[in-house]
């Protein structure tokens, strides 16, 4: 029998739940984590030709792991603060805290500890500039976006989108030790991609956001304004994705891929503007594929270039 | 007098706590090994 006594009344209370490791993993938003790891890796990989292959690959992997941990920590702190509104939305009511699988205080401790650990690991394994930016990213997502912007302004995801755009810069710093133009372009692409992506989701889950009283664009200004803004931001995104090509960071392969993807993106945003049925969910799903392929093709283009120039 | 349901809860609670303690122990050991490796790699002993 365990030596530490536990109040039986507490144990039998349904609210007293320790949560499984799986619940804690879910708290870290694994899908968002994987996207962060991917974009950070692209930031890292695209900087390699600038510095040569001198980075210790094991330290690089530890660095990417630390970035993933930091992203997970931000997700935990976000879910801790948002547990009240998560309970009101169908999409989020089964998350570990609102469903009672993890206690809010446990989630808060977990979020703070993993945040600190991720920064220490990144600082010790790579460099402290990358660790500082990771600290700022965690702060930006959990405090500036979650606590301040999300519930108070219609511009929440426009400004808050910066949090999701920092990882490629961190990846770039991991490789070079400084912030470069390539990293800033990747930042700009994600920053401009975020509004059409989330507004499409907001159109799909409008009733959820309304129930939770989150001032998303469709709730405050209506569907048509949202559709127009999705279209405008889609147009603004197009030149941004050509910047790596214009600045000679990528080649012909990237140009072809981006052009094809852009045509489809514009077609889908026009479809949203015309209020076609299912166009909102279509753009939301397509925007994920779009970003994934754009970033993959940056890597692939580098790989082809390195192969041609004999660097590999 | 405790009911069967209470007994089940208590048993499940101790099981969960045991799992959680082992998980935390695993994480601590992992971190020790991780910091050891970071130190070795940063020392660049391989030249």
């Amino acid at each position: 029998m365990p030596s530490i006594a536990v109040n039986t009344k507490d144990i039998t209370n349904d609210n007293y739940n320790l949560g499984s490791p799986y619940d804690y993993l879910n708290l870290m938003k694994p899908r968002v984590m994987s996207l962060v790891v991917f974009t950070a890796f692209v930031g890292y990989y695209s900087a390699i030709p600038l510095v040569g292959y001198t980075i210790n690959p094991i330290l690089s992997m530890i660095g990417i792991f630390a970035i993933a941990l930091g992203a997970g920590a931000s997700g935990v702190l976000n879910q801790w603060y948002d547990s009240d509104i998560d309970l009101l939305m169908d999409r989020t009511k089964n998350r570990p805290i609102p469903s009672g699988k993890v206690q809010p205080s446990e989630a808060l401790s977990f979020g703070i500890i993993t945040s600190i650990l991720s920064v220490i690991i990144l600082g010790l394994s790579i460099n402290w500039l990358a660790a500082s930016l990771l600290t700022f990213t965690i702060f930006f997502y959990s405090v500036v976006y979650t606590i301040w912007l999300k519930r108070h302004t219609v511009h929440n995801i426009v400004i808050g989108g910066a949090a999701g755009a920092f990882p490629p810069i961190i990846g770039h710093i991991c490789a070079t030790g400084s912030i470069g133009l390539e990293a800033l372009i990747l930042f700009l692409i994600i920053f401009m991609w975020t509004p059409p992506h989330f507004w499409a989701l907001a159109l799909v889950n409008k009733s959820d956001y309304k129930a939770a009283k989150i001032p998303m664009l469709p709730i405050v200004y209506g569907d048509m304004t949202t559709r127009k803004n999705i279209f405008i931001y889609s147009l603004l995104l197009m030149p941004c994705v050509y910047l790596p090509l214009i600045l000679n960071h990528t080649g012909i392969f990237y140009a072809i891929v981006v052009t094809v993807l852009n045509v489809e993106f514009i077609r889908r945003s026009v479809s949203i503007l015309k209020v076609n049925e299912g166009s909102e969910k279509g753009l939301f799903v397509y925007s994920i594929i779009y970003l994934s392929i754009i970033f993959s093709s940056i890597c692939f283009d580098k790989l082809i270039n390195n192969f041609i120039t004999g660097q590999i | 007098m405790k009911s069967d349901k209470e007994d089940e809860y208590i048993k499940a609670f101790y099981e969960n706590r045991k799992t959680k303690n082992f998980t935390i122990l695993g994480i601590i050991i992992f971190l020790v090994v991780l910091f050891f490796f970071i130190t070795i790699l940063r020392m660049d002993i391989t030249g």
Side-chain angles (χ1 to χ4, degrees):
Chain A
M1 198 66 183
S3 56
I4 302 165
V6 176
N7 190 339
T8 316
K9 200 177 165 187
D10 281 343
I11 299 171
T12 52
N13 184 340
D14 279 345
N15 292 326
Y16 199 91
N17 201 327
L18 286 174
S20 66
Y22 179 74
D23 295 326
Y24 281 87
L25 182 70
N26 273 341
L27 264 184
M28 299 180 92
K29 298 189 176 178
R31 273 181 296 180
V32 176
M33 265 170 83
S34 58
L35 192 65
V36 167
V37 168
F38 174 62
T39 56
F41 175 77
V42 174
Y44 169 82
Y45 187 79
S46 64
I48 284 178
L50 302 174
V51 291
Y53 294 95
T54 55
I55 310 145
N56 186 312
I58 301 171
L59 280 176
S60 309
M61 278 192 282
I62 295 172
I64 297 286
F65 164 75
I67 295 169
L69 201 65
S74 311
V76 175
L77 293 171
N78 168 271
Q79 289 200 39
W80 164 73
Y81 189 79
D82 277 349
S83 57
D84 57 338
I85 52 174
D86 279 350
L87 191 64
L88 303 170
M89 300 199 285
D90 282 339
R91 190 174 68 89
T92 54
K93 68 183 179 189
N94 292 323
R95 282 179 175 175
I97 303 175
S99 61
K101 289 173 186 160
V102 174
Q103 299 301 304
S105 57
E106 298 259 303
L108 179 62
S109 313
F110 181 57
I112 291 171
I113 290 168
T114 43
S115 297
I116 295 168
L117 273 176
S118 65
V119 171
I120 291 172
I121 293 169
L122 191 61
L124 290 176
S125 63
I126 306 290
N127 61 56
W128 289 101
L129 179 62
S132 305
L133 191 59
L134 182 64
T135 311
F136 181 72
T137 307
I138 295 169
F139 170 80
F140 196 90
Y141 186 68
S142 28
V143 178
V144 177
Y145 170 69
T146 304
I147 297 176
W148 179 39
L149 298 170
K150 188 173 178 180
R151 301 181 192 215
H152 299 104
T153 170
V154 73
H155 305 294
N156 49 14
I157 52 109
V158 180
I159 308 166
F166 283 124
I169 302 185
I170 301 173
H172 188 94
I173 296 172
C174 287
T176 63
S178 61
I179 300 171
L181 184 62
E182 284 197 325
L184 293 175
I185 293 168
L186 296 178
F187 173 91
L188 190 65
I189 292 172
I190 302 178
F191 187 73
M192 297 309 291
W193 166 89
T194 307
H197 170 75
F198 277 104
W199 283 332
L201 179 71
L203 284 171
V204 176
N205 294 325
K206 196 179 160 186
S207 56
D208 263 6
Y209 288 114
K210 198 171 184 178
K213 292 179 181 159
I214 300 171
M216 294 299 283
L217 196 59
I219 312 296
V220 180
Y221 289 108
D223 282 11
M224 210 51 222
T225 306
T226 310
R227 290 173 194 279
K228 281 177 190 166
N229 274 279
I230 287 174
F231 182 68
I232 292 165
Y233 270 86
S234 301
L235 289 180
L236 291 173
L237 174 66
M238 301 301 115
C240 296
V241 291
Y242 278 110
L243 280 176
L245 189 72
I246 294 165
L247 296 169
N248 224 12
H249 295 156
T250 53
I252 190 74
F253 172 78
Y254 179 78
I256 295 165
V257 172
V258 159
T259 305
V260 173
L261 289 170
N262 276 354
V263 169
E264 179 62 9
F265 203 106
I266 291 294
R267 190 192 70 76
R268 285 180 183 269
S269 58
V270 169
S271 183
I272 278 202
L273 204 57
K274 287 180 177 172
V275 202
N276 289 342
E277 200 183 335
S279 58
E280 304 86 2
K281 194 169 184 182
L283 182 71
F284 172 72
V285 175
Y286 177 73
S287 62
I288 297 170
I289 299 165
Y290 175 86
L291 193 71
S292 305
I293 300 178
I294 292 266
F295 272 62
S296 301
S297 57
I298 289 173
C299 279
F300 200 67
D301 202 286
K302 291 273 178 192
L303 198 69
I304 294 170
N305 193 39
N306 289 347
F307 187 74
I308 292 167
T309 55
Q311 286 186 46
I312 50 171
Chain B
M1 188 70 185
K2 278 185 275 184
S3 67
D4 286 349
K5 198 183 172 192
E6 277 184 332
D7 279 340
E8 272 175 37
Y9 269 124
I10 293 165
K11 202 177 167 189
F13 174 82
Y14 282 123
E15 279 292 317
N16 282 345
R17 195 171 71 171
K18 199 174 170 185
T19 309
K20 194 174 181 181
N21 288 343
F22 275 117
T23 308
I24 291 169
L25 181 68
I27 291 168
I28 291 169
I29 292 169
F30 169 74
L31 287 171
V32 170
V33 174
L34 182 69
F35 285 127
F36 173 77
F37 269 109
I38 291 172
T39 309
I40 297 295
L41 292 167
R42 291 301 297 249
M43 281 167 70
D44 200 18
I45 52 169
T46 55

